[in-house]
Amino acid sequence: MNEHKILILLALLSFMCSGVVMAETHRIIPAVQEMQVGRGALLLNSSVTVSYVAELENEATLLAKYLDEDFNIHLEKSVDIEGVIDLCIDTDFQSNSKEGYELVVSDEKVKITSSTAVGVFYGIQTLRQLIVKDKERWSIPEVYIKDYPVFSWRAFMLDEARAFKGKEVVFLLLDEMARLKMNVFHWHLTDDQGWRIEIKKYPRLTEIGAWRDSTQIGGYRGATYDGKRHGGFYTQEEIKEVVAYAAERHIMIVPEFEMPGHESAAIAAYPWLGTTGRQIDVPCRFGVQYEVMDVTSSRVQGFIEDVLDEVITIFPSPVIHIGGDEVKFDQWNASTSIQEYMTRQGIETPADLQIVFTNRISHLLQQKERRMMGWNDITGNKIHEYNTEADATAKEKLADGTIVQFWKGDLDLIEKTASQGYDIVNSYHYKTYLDYDYQKIPLEKAYEFDPVPEGLPKDLKKKILGLGCQMWGEEIMDNDKMYYQIFPRIAAYAECGWTLPGRKDYFSFLKPLKKLKMVWKTQGLMK
């Protein structure tokens, strides 16, 4: 019997007299799938040794950082000497997910095992939350944990097109996502009110499109403006820095570049992108704008290809989000050239035109070995009151392989979309929008969100990849307001994405949340 199995056996013998009450005492967020708690604890000295295989250098380095910053414990790293903490890769490790791990703590040592580095990393996040003060020393309870996520897509979205924040804020948010085992940072970088990424072939996108003269106060319903110039953007080098920072924490960054609607900032920079060709300013007001791309123009198609070429060189994500939401069809209907194009091509409605355009982008991305993602508007279903039933009815079929992010419309559309073979990320706005106040989405409502809608046929449940929670920027011009909206609700969404429904309990969740709130208060994220 090898050392790993002996350690587990000894731990389990110690746990035989422990009960559910003890397990609840050491509850963390997100809740683990399986936990047994022993009667003892491992006491930590001010200096601890971690042993690890070479491929876990990144994880050992981050563990050292966490122990130093959180507990003032110095960690000695070693690939040769046996440590108090062992980080292990076991290719035979069995789990429901490649992100799964096993954590065993005896009164002598800690062992974290997974078949992947990401699994070990998540074991480290669990370990951070288990460490408690025992008189004058830090200690870890004897535990046996077997854990894995329910959903593969556990996303947080930040909209910086409306409110530019800068990389230090993004770093902080990525750190908190990592703490909560969230693995997708959906980065909304372009919209009507701002273009936030350097595209070298089109410098006016940031010279013009990254700046607006004023900002509507009080969101899109506000009646006044602040009169202050707002803007900013990321250079490609800065983007690479953020991507690398996220990758170290096993977070995939999915960039979103809106098309063909929400393009006013780009059209302000290059008017020929728009349907009318007229010069406009970067909008200062929020809400849905009327300016949309001329998707029938070969020059516009060339622009999109050029932008995506540069985007793909700096974002390694296999998924590129193209937005596709809230396209008002007025300008397309009023354009003689677009109507003539639709007639020649046999395209019956504006919704069909959008799908034809979107499918061209999908094909382009497939050639570059990337997968397209978009809001559920791209499926061609009517979900907005400002488009007529006739205009919003589509016969064209969305490209196979598209990931559909559901945010609006009848929930039956999720079943319809899944039955057509599309993977879905559930971001239903009434349940997941972090810009909504706590009256609309109180913490308990956020916690009760299930990415799998009630009544979805069993054979379609596998099409639900997971969930996204969205921090839209219309009402978050200052960071304190943004943090207030995010924390602590992001913890609820993290548990929705990780933990089996049968393991979730709201009142049990509130206990470890108190500890996280203290951490966030120390960081200035909560009052």
Side-chain angles (χ1 to χ4, degrees), residues 92-111:
D92 295 324
F93 178 76
Q94 299 295 312
S95 177
N96 292 36
S97 163
K98 66 182 179 65
E99 297 174 296
Y101 66 92
E102 182 180 77
L103 171 63
V104 183
V105 182
S106 70
D107 61 358
E108 294 183 350
K109 71 182 306 167
V110 176
K111 189 162 190 174

Side-chain angles (χ1 to χ4, degrees), residues 6 17 21 76 83 118 139 152 158 219 267 273 313 360 376 384 411 426 462 519:
I6 293 172
C17 296
V21 174
E76 294 283 351
V118 62
S139 69
S152 62
L158 180 65
I267 293 169
L273 291 170
T313 64
R360 285 205 302 265
N376 65 293
H384 301 293
L411 289 174
N426 194 344
K462 64 180 182 295
V519 172

Side-chain angles (χ1 to χ4, degrees), residues 281-394:
D281 295 325
V282 177
C284 299
R285 69 179 181 87
F286 297 119
V288 183
Q289 309 296 310
Y290 280 89
E291 301 295 334
V292 294
M293 281 181 158
D294 180 357
V295 297
T296 68
S297 164
S298 59
R299 191 179 184 189
V300 171
Q301 183 70 20
F303 168 85
I304 292 172
E305 293 180 14
D306 291 339
V307 169
L308 289 176
D309 280 343
E310 293 195 32
V311 164
I312 285 170
T313 64
I314 53 179
F315 286 102
S317 166
V319 179
I320 303 295
H321 203 302
I322 59 95
D325 59 309
E326 298 184 315
V327 178
K328 290 188 173 182
F329 297 138
D330 304 53
Q331 288 189 345
W332 287 352
N333 284 334
S335 168
T336 302
S337 64
I338 288 179
Q339 292 302 307
E340 290 174 350
Y341 176 90
M342 291 173 63
T343 300
R344 290 196 305 273
Q345 299 297 322
I347 299 171
E348 296 186 13
T349 70
D352 283 316
L353 178 62
Q354 184 175 355
I355 292 176
V356 169
F357 163 76
T358 301
N359 288 350
R360 285 205 302 265
I361 305 305
S362 175
H363 179 67
L364 176 66
L365 289 171
Q366 286 176 351
Q367 290 179 321
K368 301 175 187 298
E369 300 183 336
R370 305 301 172 97
R371 190 177 181 188
M372 183 179 72
M373 183 176 187
W375 301 103
N376 65 293
D377 308 52
I378 64 176
T379 59
N381 294 295
K382 177 175 167 53
I383 60 175
H384 301 293
E385 71 286 350
Y386 46 73
N387 289 325
T388 67
E389 190 74 40
D391 284 348
T393 300

Side-chain angles (χ1 to χ4, degrees), residues 183-195:
N183 64 351
V184 178
F185 180 62
H186 175 178
W187 208 359
H188 190 85
L189 287 166
T190 72
D191 213 297
D192 290 308
Q193 294 79 20
W195 184 283

Side-chain angles (χ1 to χ4, degrees), residues 379-421:
T379 59
N381 294 295
K382 177 175 167 53
I383 60 175
H384 301 293
E385 71 286 350
Y386 46 73
N387 289 325
T388 67
E389 190 74 40
D391 284 348
T393 300
K395 293 182 179 179
E396 296 286 343
K397 183 180 183 298
L398 183 65
D400 292 337
T402 301
I403 299 174
V404 176
Q405 186 163 13
F406 181 83
W407 77 282
K408 186 177 178 65
D410 193 306
L411 289 174
D412 289 345
L413 290 175
I414 294 181
E415 181 175 342
K416 177 183 177 181
T417 303
S419 67
Q420 292 171 337

Side-chain angles (χ1 to χ4, degrees), residues 11 39 77 87 124 159 167 172 179 291 326 337 360 417 433 446 448 468 475 504:
R39 291 166 290 181
K77 298 191 302 177
L87 307 181
I124 288 171
D159 167 20
K167 67 180 181 181
L172 186 153
R179 188 193 301 274
E291 301 295 334
E326 298 184 315
S337 64
R360 285 205 302 265
T417 303
Y433 273 24
E448 291 172 349
E475 312 213 20
K504 289 176 59 182

